[in-house]
Amino acid sequence: MTRPAASQAAVGLRHRAEAEASTLPPLLVQARHLAGSVLMGEHGRRRAGAGDDFWQYRPAQAGDSRRMIDHRRSAMGDVQYVREREWQIAQTVHLWVDAGASMRFASSPKLPQKAERARLLGLAAAVLMVQGGERVGLTGGSLPPRRGSVQILRLAEALSADDAEDYAPPGHRALIPHARALFISDFLGPFEPVEQALSKAAARGVRGVLLQVLDPAEETFPFAGRTLFESIAGGVTHETLKASALQERYLDRLAERRAALERLCRVAGWRFGRHHTGDAAQAALMWLYHALERTAP
């Protein structure tokens, strides 16, 4: 008995789709699944007749197409300029996800590493933004903001890379003025690079969201007796015979760091949130989605 032509075509389409999906980075598959689980309302600022007002000229960057160049303004000098409109600024999001070694920590095999959760949330948020018509790229200029599924694939590949250092500083170069940004990290490293990045962003009129991702053990410090503490990259080690004696001092320092991050966000006009790897990723993504919406101009 032969299959109907329509049925054969459906089977062939399914096989091609499965083959294509098998070549995608696992992170991208998970991020799309997570983004699909979030019930979205109307997103972005795309509406007829809005956003055609001129905003600014800026120097052309890698990734800008030739049709974006304003030749009349560029003819006045040796630099090529892009003419940006208000809606283009409002629909641009810069993403930074900490790739430092400190993020590759999980206190239990049942928990994801902080890096895994941070990358998943960052990429899933990017999927939602792109589906809403926004341009998303990485801070630092390595991947300029663009739209489309190809950009999501590029983001997935870029976010899968690890940094050899214990703590990676947040990038703040190539931020488009008056755009938005999302920074995700444990923020347990040196405070000065974070302060500098948000200060630079605020000076450019960039508003955004800072999400602190921690392992549950980093919130409770459940250690006792003889314990050897060692950073993931091996650059810092500390051995104690009575780990429980360090708990109060550690929790005080953690509270001080969180309070400093909250103050910094208030001054810069950013929103601050925190997430534990033991909690549901969907709840964190929903919070991120609404927090980014509230930072829109």
Side-chain angles (χ1 to χ4, degrees):
M1 183 176 179
T2 59
R3 292 175 180 265
S7 177
Q8 290 178 339
V11 171
L13 178 61
R14 187 190 70 187
H15 288 164
R16 290 195 300 273
E18 290 175 348
E20 182 178 352
S22 67
T23 65
L24 295 176
L27 173 62
L28 178 54
V29 176
Q30 296 171 23
R32 283 178 172 171
H33 177 74
L34 178 60
S37 70
V38 173
L39 196 59
M40 294 197 311
E42 185 67 21
H43 186 70
R45 293 182 56 192
R46 293 186 297 176
R47 54 185 183 270
D52 289 330
D53 294 336
F54 168 73
W55 184 270
Q56 67 174 1
Y57 290 111
R58 66 165 173 82
Q61 301 174 346
D64 291 334
S65 64
R66 293 187 62 84
R67 69 171 182 269
M68 296 173 64
I69 304 298
D70 188 289
H71 297 287
R72 179 176 297 180
R73 175 65 180 84
S74 301
M76 299 172 63
D78 298 327
V79 178
Q80 289 188 320
Y81 284 91
V82 168
R83 180 186 178 95
E84 290 193 313
R85 295 177 172 84
E86 184 177 3
W87 69 271
Q88 292 175 320
I89 297 295
Q91 291 187 322
T92 298
V93 180
H94 294 280
L95 176 65
W96 175 73
V97 178
D98 191 346
S102 73
M103 296 293 289
R104 298 193 291 275
F105 171 73
S107 61
S108 166
K110 297 179 181 180
L111 295 172
Q113 294 182 1
K114 292 184 291 183
E116 294 173 0
R117 181 56 59 83
R119 289 165 175 167
L120 176 61
L121 291 174
L123 188 59
V127 169
L128 292 178
M129 297 297 109
V130 168
Q131 287 179 350
E134 307 200 29
R135 301 184 301 174
V136 182
L138 298 179
T139 61
S142 61
L143 187 59
R146 297 188 182 94
R147 297 185 178 90
S149 58
V150 174
Q151 179 73 348
I152 294 297
L153 181 58
R154 294 191 187 106
L155 286 167
E157 293 173 346
L159 292 177
S160 298
D162 289 325
D163 197 302
E165 299 297 323
D166 276 322
Y167 303 105
H172 55 77
R173 293 188 300 105
L175 293 178
I176 296 176
H178 306 286
R180 287 177 292 159
L182 170 59
F183 288 4
I184 307 178
S185 171
D186 58 10
F187 297 105
L188 296 180
F191 186 72
E192 291 76 14
V194 182
E195 187 175 30
Q196 181 184 25
L198 260 67
S199 297
K200 294 277 188 181
R204 296 186 177 106
V206 175
R207 300 180 65 187
V209 176
L210 187 153
L211 180 67
Q212 184 181 41
V213 175
L214 294 178
D215 184 276
E218 293 174 321
E219 287 279 9
T220 59
F221 201 82
F223 306 105
R226 183 175 182 177
T227 306
L228 175 64
F229 297 98
E230 184 176 18
S231 63
I232 301 297
V236 179
T237 60
H238 177 74
E239 185 175 6
T240 179
L241 297 176
K242 193 176 181 181
S244 58
L246 301 176
Q247 184 185 51
E248 184 177 355
R249 194 188 331 167
Y250 167 82
L251 293 178
D252 286 344
R253 292 285 299 276
L254 181 63
E256 290 172 2
R257 171 55 60 93
R258 182 164 291 147
L261 291 170
E262 291 174 341
R263 285 195 301 271
L264 182 60
C265 285
R266 282 196 300 271
V267 172
W270 283 43
R271 294 179 61 85
F272 175 79
R274 57 179 178 173
H275 171 68
H276 297 159
T277 55
D279 296 336
Q282 184 177 355
L285 180 60
M286 181 66 78
W287 181 86
L288 277 178
Y289 169 71
H290 289 295
L292 283 166
E293 279 289 274
R294 294 188 186 103
T295 63

